[in-house]
Amino acid sequence: MRNRVTLIITAALVCAMSGGVAVWAAGSEQTVGLRRLTEPEYRNSISDVFGKEIVVQGMFEPGVRMVGLVAASTSVLSITPAGFSSLSKMADNIAVQVTGEKFRDKLISCTPKSPSAPDDVCSGDFFRHYGLMLYRRPLSADELKAQVSLANVMTKKTGDFYTGLRYGLTALLMSPDFLFRKEIAVPAGGTGLTLEPYSRATRLSYLMWGTTPDSELLHAAEVGELNTPTGLEKQVDRLLASPRLDNGMRAFFSDMLMLDNFDSVSKDPLLYPKWAGAMAPSAKEEALRTLITLSVHEDGDMRDLMTTRRTFINRSLAAIYDVDFSFDQEWVPYEFAEDSGRSGIVTQVAMLSMFSHPGQSSPTKRGVALNEIFLCEPTPTPPNNVDFSAVNDTTGPLKTKRERLMAHATDKTCSSCHSAIDPIGLSLEGFDTIAGRRDRENGQPIDVSATIKGKSFTGAVGLGMFLHDNPKYPACVARKLYAYANGLNSEEVETSAFKGGYEAFKQSGYRLRALLKGLIMSPEFFRSAVPVADGSSGNVKTASP
């Protein structure tokens, strides 16, 4: 029975997906985008709609990093057959829990006239409530009727009212309207479009809280509050004041810092026995705690993330940092000594270990990553025929990485890129592949001096000040936050799109809260271009009016 109903629901979803996004919605509304929920967004949404007790079990399809952000891929990725099968099982499992005896009294507000017969009034109340929460907008009359009808049919077939609700809820959870964040736009005067209130609520909530809109935000959409500057500001201030802002910003910083790279990081256990299985999650957590504490809890200057010696450590990280960990708590705040050579998040385990090789450091990988992450300066892909043998030869006469890179960079095809990326990486050579301190390589002293565009500095502390004072860094943060919020390729974002937010950011002394509010309150944040159909595929693209 379950398989038969699943096939019906599957057919509906496949038709919706294969047909592409409808360019024209009801009336003057237009669908201008679909963004697939990420795994954290899915889990957070289920938790907020049904409660933390509901367990989400199953595999999620990974996102794809596109020009610096995984968020950019949510606008272009669909769902594969294997992914749909996993989501189907996940949805049914959630529905079984919600309608089961354990949580029934808590999650179902009405009682059917008979537990073995259909009750369209009760099921209507159930689907009206959860439809709003899951679709992030009210169900249309036809949508509500379809869910009630499905529950009615399944109740008659099984002789159990709650089994009927289960299949109806499964259908909601497998719908594109839940699995994708559908953005609807309406005319904004002239030839432009702007997001309608429920789409605004959804964009706000997933950006700032990393989850589905709560009831207050949905009500603000219903009454038109989000369409006015005063009403919008009221809700933005409420979201900013909530401790749940941590969740949204952790998701953004995880994406911006490319922390998903840890999924493939490995280190040579013979050369680096301190690197253990718990190191990757510990390194990610250290970076995120540092970022959230300074930028959200303290509302500090974001530029100080490049120079602060304050961090958080646990026992695993203390081993890397050569710190005596004699604390009772799992995590403790810690400040490195002035002569430690540490400077901000660029010298934490996360940044240094992710962008290194298993057995040795990599100035080039570190330089490429930091240029892209913090300065929005991506490095072109090197030609396929580049000879890296000189760089990787640790047994020859060139003992240090600097010497080997200098020899490699004499190649005319390599010099232009290496002149931009190597100085950053070479200034970090005082740290090995797992971020431990060192001052010699193969018995030779390590030179950590660097010069970039005429500006000379020494070591990680000098690099931290270089990034702190570089206007490209805060501009890059603003660009990436705007791109993340909108699911865009950060390279394709026009400066004018985030200009208002950046000005507020700059005037505030580079405070993250000011940047968030400045971006959202800018007219550009909810503006959309007119969508056009992309040939036979039916996919929606935007075209300038």
Side-chain angles (χ1 to χ4, degrees):
M1 181 63 68
R2 175 187 179 276
N3 290 339
R4 180 179 178 185
V5 175
T6 300
L7 286 172
I8 295 172
I9 299 170
T10 301
L13 178 55
V14 170
C15 288
M17 295 300 299
S18 62
V21 185
V23 174
W24 288 98
S28 59
E29 297 178 346
Q30 298 186 55
T31 300
V32 293
L34 289 176
R35 294 184 62 181
R36 195 180 80 183
L37 292 184
T38 64
E39 178 177 349
E41 288 171 346
Y42 185 105
R43 290 183 179 278
N44 291 343
S45 298
I46 294 300
S47 177
D48 286 341
V49 172
F50 300 113
K52 298 182 187 300
E53 301 90 349
I54 300 302
V55 178
V56 177
Q57 296 178 321
M59 297 293 293
F60 290 83
E61 293 186 295
V64 177
R65 185 163 293 282
M66 296 177 60
V67 197
L69 291 173
V70 174
S73 73
T74 64
S75 298
V76 298
L77 292 180
S78 186
I79 298 175
T80 66
F84 181 81
S85 176
S86 179
L87 288 170
S88 169
K89 295 175 183 177
M90 209 178 302
D92 188 59
N93 182 266
I94 292 169
V96 167
Q97 294 177 72
V98 171
T99 59
E101 293 185 7
K102 183 176 180 179
F103 299 112
R104 185 177 296 169
D105 292 341
K106 177 182 177 181
L107 298 177
I108 302 175
S109 61
C110 61
T111 302
K113 296 176 182 178
S114 168
S116 59
D119 185 334
D120 290 353
V121 174
C122 183
S123 63
D125 290 342
F126 177 85
F127 292 121
R128 188 179 295 108
H129 171 72
Y130 285 115
L132 170 64
M133 302 305 292
L134 292 171
Y135 282 14
R136 303 168 284 272
R137 61 166 175 80
L139 296 184
S140 68
D142 287 343
E143 288 171 332
L144 180 60
K145 181 179 179 181
Q147 300 306 317
V148 172
S149 177
L150 176 58
N152 184 297
V153 169
M154 295 311 299
T155 297
K156 290 178 178 177
K157 287 183 176 293
T158 63
D160 184 83
F161 172 79
Y162 295 101
T163 299
L165 288 189
R166 165 193 165 187
Y167 284 109
L169 180 57
T170 299
L172 288 178
L173 291 167
M174 292 169 63
S175 168
D177 289 270
F178 169 64
L179 297 173
F180 291 81
R181 293 158 53 184
K182 180 184 291 187
E183 295 195 330
I184 306 294
V186 294
T191 57
L193 298 173
T194 187
L195 294 189
E196 55 82 33
Y198 288 104
S199 297
R200 291 183 173 211
T202 297
R203 182 177 287 185
L204 284 176
S205 188
Y206 279 105
L207 167 63
M208 300 176 76
W209 286 3
T211 189
T212 192
D214 66 357
S215 57
E216 185 172 342
L217 193 54
L218 289 172
H219 178 71
E222 178 187 9
V223 299
E225 188 175 305
L226 298 182
N227 284 17
T228 68
T230 301
L232 176 61
E233 184 174 24
K234 174 186 173 183
Q235 289 300 316
V236 170
D237 287 343
R238 182 178 72 89
L239 296 175
L240 284 172
S242 169
R244 304 193 72 181
L245 183 65
D246 286 17
N247 297 332
M249 292 302 95
R250 282 175 72 96
F252 165 64
F253 286 129
S254 292
D255 199 349
M256 178 180 168
L257 266 60
M258 304 184 181
L259 294 182
D260 56 296
N261 275 297
F262 268 118
D263 295 341
S264 58
V265 168
S266 64
K267 301 299 176 184
D268 189 322
L270 296 178
L271 295 176
Y272 300 98
K274 291 181 180 180
W275 188 270
M279 194 60 70
S282 295
K284 287 194 276 189
E285 184 63 20
E286 178 195 16
L288 292 173
R289 284 185 181 233
T290 303
L291 282 155
I292 294 300
T293 298
L294 190 149
S295 65
V296 178
H297 298 170
E298 299 175 352
D299 200 25
D301 186 336
M302 285 283 289
R303 297 174 302 172
D304 291 345
L305 289 166
M306 299 294 107
T307 56
T308 183
R309 297 195 307 276
R310 293 187 299 151
T311 186
F312 295 84
I313 62 173
N314 63 4
R315 194 171 300 278
S316 296
L317 294 170
I320 301 292
Y321 293 136
D322 290 325
V323 172
D324 180 20
F325 195 86
S326 55
F327 307 99
D328 294 331
Q329 306 98 314
E330 181 181 0
W331 285 91
V332 295
Y334 183 79
E335 183 168 1
F336 291 108
E338 190 172 351
D339 62 355
S340 65
R342 304 281 172 179
S343 183
I345 58 175
V346 297
T347 56
Q348 291 183 351
V349 173
M351 291 292 99
L352 293 171
S353 64
M354 274 197 302
F355 307 110
S356 292
H357 299 299
Q360 58 181 314
S361 65
S362 174
T364 300
K365 290 184 71 172
R366 288 172 176 174
V368 168
L370 268 58
N371 263 332
E372 181 172 338
I373 292 171
F374 298 116
L375 301 179
C376 290
E377 294 183 348
T379 302
T381 303
N384 294 327
N385 60 348
V386 174
D387 183 6
F388 290 103
S389 59
V391 180
N392 297 322
D393 183 10
T394 59
T395 61
L398 303 178
K399 298 298 183 183
T400 68
K401 188 76 70 160
R402 177 183 289 271
E403 292 173 322
R404 297 192 294 275
L405 276 175
M406 292 303 100
H408 174 73
T410 56
D411 187 324
K412 292 182 180 180
T413 61
C414 305
S415 60
S416 60
C417 287
H418 279 277
S419 63
I421 59 180
D422 286 350
I424 287 180
L426 289 170
S427 71
L428 295 171
E429 276 294 273
F431 303 95
D432 61 27
T433 186
I434 63 171
R437 284 298 308 274
R438 64 178 184 175
D439 56 18
R440 305 183 78 81
E441 180 185 4
N442 291 326
Q444 300 298 311
I446 296 175
D447 179 2
V448 292
S449 62
T451 300
I452 300 178
K453 296 181 179 179
K455 294 184 178 181
S456 297
F457 55 88
T458 301
V461 174
L463 173 63
M465 285 305 303
F466 170 79
L467 293 172
H468 178 284
D469 298 338
N470 193 329
K472 289 185 177 181
Y473 164 53
C476 183
V477 173
R479 174 184 294 275
K480 289 200 171 178
L481 186 57
Y482 180 89
Y484 175 85
N486 291 273
L488 300 174
N489 178 336
S490 59
E491 284 189 10
E492 297 177 356
V493 172
E494 298 290 340
T495 304
S496 58
F498 61 92
K499 181 180 180 180
Y502 178 72
E503 287 302 315
F505 190 33
K506 185 177 180 180
Q507 291 173 16
S508 72
Y510 300 103
R511 266 63 183 176
L512 179 64
R513 291 174 182 272
L515 172 59
L516 276 165
K517 187 171 182 178
L519 287 175
I520 295 167
M521 297 306 297
S522 170
E524 295 291 338
F525 188 72
F526 294 119
R527 190 168 295 165
S528 176
V530 178
V532 295
D534 178 23
S536 60
S537 68
N539 294 325
V540 164
K541 292 187 176 181
T542 56
S544 300

